Amino acid sequence: MALYDLIVLGGGPAGYNAAEHAAHAGMKVALYEERALGGVCLNEGCIPTKTFLNSAKIYESALHGDAFGVTVEGAKIDHAKVVDRKDKVVKTLVSGVGAKMRGAKVTVVTGSARITGKSAEGFTVTDGKEENTAKKLLICTGSEAAVPPIPGLREAVESGLAVTNREILDIRAVPKALCVIGGGVIGLEMASYFAAIGTKVTVVEMLDKIAGPTDREISEILQKNLEKKGVEFKLGAAVTAVSGKIGAGTVEYKLGDKAYKVSCDTVLVSTGRRPRTKDIGLENLGVQLNRGAVVTTECTRTSVPGVWAAGDVNGKSMLAHTAYREGEAAVRDMQGIKDSVDYRAIPAVIYTKPEVGTVGETLESAKKAGINASEHTMSLRYSGRYVAEVEGGDGIVKIVIDDDHKTIIGVHMIGSYASEIIYGAAAMIAEEKRVSDVQKLVFPHPTVCEVIREDLFTIK
């Protein structure tokens, strides 16, 4: 048994980043990870999906370069090579995380961690072989794909007909037809990729719009762009059953009172994620949960003194960049440094083509919160760079203003570089910038981001 200052459960973005920060702050740290360092984001989410989508963008550019005076003959995509490159990228980055842990002198324990209780020396954790103790605990066990209780779906997952975000990234043969259950971020990104490389894609979504809480107008623009690629959407549709086998599956759904079927080779289950709190021993400490998520304060403290929780496990904002920030806030709080996470200014991105970048309130959410707000929309065609680089683009930027204080409380974009631009909007919201403050900023020209400034000058 070894005694540590901090034990971190989970080696994803929240866990490994916090472990490194804590070690550099002088703490003796142990990090438990049952699979591979980097967590879902690096191994099964953010990074591998971006390698897929980048390959698709290159392929699409080769196919549709005529409008830009570029003709590429015989362009084709080799999906198996895309998977190989994805594996290489992931391996490189996982190795990089391991090097960081070694450099910070963090003890990495490979195995499933379980909290067994608390003694006079601190909290005890075991991997089933050896027990260690720490004065402080940080829970970063992340999340897992939710598989809803749809008749036949569990059996379809077991047979391989249905896959989650984990398995879809390892499929080496391109399915002729893919049915995606769920129109959220993961489902849309994979729909975009597979449609681009020739798969017939159908997305079945229970809501009347795609992309979850994304601004409705932006969701509609994204849907139209994906439909141009051949993606078919069934909105307001409830899946009632899944049956068949790999290569010959059927997804049944209802639209109103009518029943329909979709035939497919593969089913992608993309109905959200749930915090991983089961079987890690939280009950041995009495940590408070809410619908399976660890309840935390804005500095990530749990209901038990000496225990913090960061990342997807607390269910607040299930995004890798939020996890990084929460892990940092937890370590600072452990050191007695006042800190908190500003959940008002967490950007979110959908890496389709076109990209979607959003942060802060939509007009709808602002009004629900009782804020006297207005929204101001401008076409990205006001950007010379956008017009030069995008043929027939329909991108927009939408800015939500608190009219009582003339502060920026939301920015929503669809178009090129949205993923890279949105952080600036997040800073505006976090710093409670007034419209007049940003009007005085100098934006580079020609860029797409300068449309934000142009839009603000329409506000009186």
Side-chain angles (χ1 to χ4, degrees):
M1 178 186 289
L3 178 63
Y4 293 90
D5 296 310
L6 171 65
I7 288 179
V8 181
L9 274 66
Y16 75 72
N17 190 48
E20 183 183 16
H21 277 265
H24 287 316
M27 297 185 197
K28 183 180 179 183
V29 183
L31 172 66
Y32 283 75
E33 171 53 51
E34 66 179 358
R35 299 186 71 211
L37 289 172
V40 169
C41 174
L42 180 46
N43 293 279
E44 305 160 10
C46 316
I47 302 303
T49 55
K50 301 311 155 293
T51 63
F52 273 34
L53 290 167
N54 187 59
S55 292
K57 287 176 184 177
I58 294 171
Y59 179 55
E60 287 180 293
S61 295
L63 289 179
H64 308 296
D66 289 357
F68 301 91
V70 179
T71 301
V72 179
E73 295 182 0
K76 62 180 182 178
I77 189 164
D78 186 331
H79 177 66
K81 287 186 177 179
V82 173
V83 174
D84 288 340
R85 183 173 185 273
K86 177 266 297 183
D87 291 340
K88 181 182 73 173
V89 169
V90 170
K91 183 178 179 180
T92 298
L93 294 175
V94 169
S95 297
V97 175
K100 276 191 170 186
M101 296 302 96
R102 291 190 295 274
K105 294 182 170 54
V106 173
T107 299
V108 176
V109 180
T110 303
S112 299
R114 180 174 174 79
I115 304 162
T116 56
K118 185 179 180 182
S119 65
E121 292 182 311
F123 303 97
T124 54
V125 177
T126 182
D127 63 349
K129 301 174 185 177
E130 187 177 2
E131 198 170 73
N132 291 313
T133 302
K135 299 172 186 176
K136 298 177 177 66
L137 280 182
L138 177 57
I139 312 300
C140 303
T141 46
S143 64
E144 59 191 359
V147 179
I150 296 169
L153 182 55
R154 180 63 64 179
E155 293 79 1
V157 169
E158 292 172 354
S159 72
L161 166 63
V163 295
T164 68
N165 66 291
R166 175 185 295 178
E167 298 86 18
I168 193 76
L169 295 167
D170 290 326
I171 291 176
R172 302 185 75 83
V174 179
K176 292 180 180 179
L178 172 69
C179 183
V180 181
I181 302 177
V185 174
I186 296 171
L188 294 176
E189 290 184 351
M190 289 296 92
S192 178
Y193 171 76
F194 281 101
I197 67 172
T199 298
K200 169 59 182 171
V201 180
T202 304
V203 176
V204 183
E205 167 57 51
M206 184 177 291
L207 300 177
D208 66 346
K209 62 184 285 290
I210 63 171
T214 303
D215 173 87
R216 183 173 289 273
E217 184 178 3
I218 286 178
S219 294
E220 290 172 353
I221 293 172
L222 176 60
Q223 181 177 333
K224 288 177 183 177
N225 276 272
L226 291 175
E227 285 173 339
K228 288 177 182 177
K229 294 183 180 183
V231 180
E232 189 173 346
F233 290 92
K234 308 296 182 182
L235 303 181
V239 176
T240 56
V242 177
S243 60
K245 59 184 179 179
I246 299 174
T250 301
V251 174
E252 300 176 36
Y253 65 93
K254 290 190 72 174
L255 257 174
D257 295 330
K258 294 185 178 180
Y260 300 89
K261 294 181 179 180
V262 175
S263 297
C264 57
D265 302 323
T266 303
V267 178
L268 172 60
V269 186
S270 182
T271 52
R273 301 186 65 80
R274 60 187 180 195
R276 292 190 63 210
T277 53
K278 190 177 179 181
D279 298 328
I280 62 172
L282 294 179
E283 67 280 3
N284 295 324
L285 300 179
V287 173
Q288 183 183 355
L289 302 178
N290 180 26
R291 299 178 69 178
V294 178
V295 176
T296 58
T297 65
E298 289 186 349
C299 63
T300 74
R301 292 183 186 180
T302 72
S303 60
V304 176
V307 182
W308 288 257
D312 287 6
V313 74
N314 65 30
K316 286 189 172 183
S317 170
M318 301 173 90
L319 298 165
H321 42 278
T322 306
Y324 284 130
R325 180 70 188 97
E326 288 176 336
E328 293 163 0
V331 172
R332 287 173 64 83
D333 191 52
M334 294 173 195
Q335 296 174 270
I337 302 170
K338 188 176 180 180
D339 200 356
S340 63
V341 179
D342 186 356
Y343 291 100
R344 301 171 308 155
I346 303 291
V349 176
I350 305 174
Y351 294 87
T352 46
K353 185 180 181 182
E355 294 182 344
V356 174
T358 69
V359 62
E361 304 284 354
T362 62
L363 182 61
E364 183 180 359
S365 68
K367 288 185 174 180
K368 283 183 179 179
I371 301 170
N372 178 29
S374 59
E375 67 178 13
H376 307 266
T377 304
M378 181 168 282
S379 168
L380 295 191
R381 289 192 291 271
Y382 278 84
S383 159
R385 183 177 185 184
Y386 182 78
V387 175
E389 294 185 356
V390 181
E391 185 71 15
D394 55 358
I396 63 171
V397 62
K398 183 175 289 191
I399 302 176
V400 183
I401 303 298
D402 180 331
D403 287 333
D404 291 336
H405 302 93
K406 290 298 179 184
T407 53
I408 299 166
I409 58 173
V411 177
H412 311 275
M413 290 186 69
I414 180 166
S416 48
Y417 311 110
S419 62
E420 301 291 345
I421 294 169
I422 203 66
Y423 88 95
M428 296 173 195
I429 294 169
E431 296 173 7
E432 299 183 348
K433 291 291 187 183
R434 295 170 61 88
V435 171
S436 57
D437 296 329
V438 182
Q439 286 174 337
K440 296 173 185 176
L441 294 178
V442 179
F443 284 65
H445 175 79
T447 57
V448 177
C449 68
E450 62 187 324
V451 176
I452 292 175
R453 186 171 183 270
E454 292 290 334
D455 196 5
L456 290 173
F457 269 104
T458 67
I459 300 171
K460 307 300 182 183

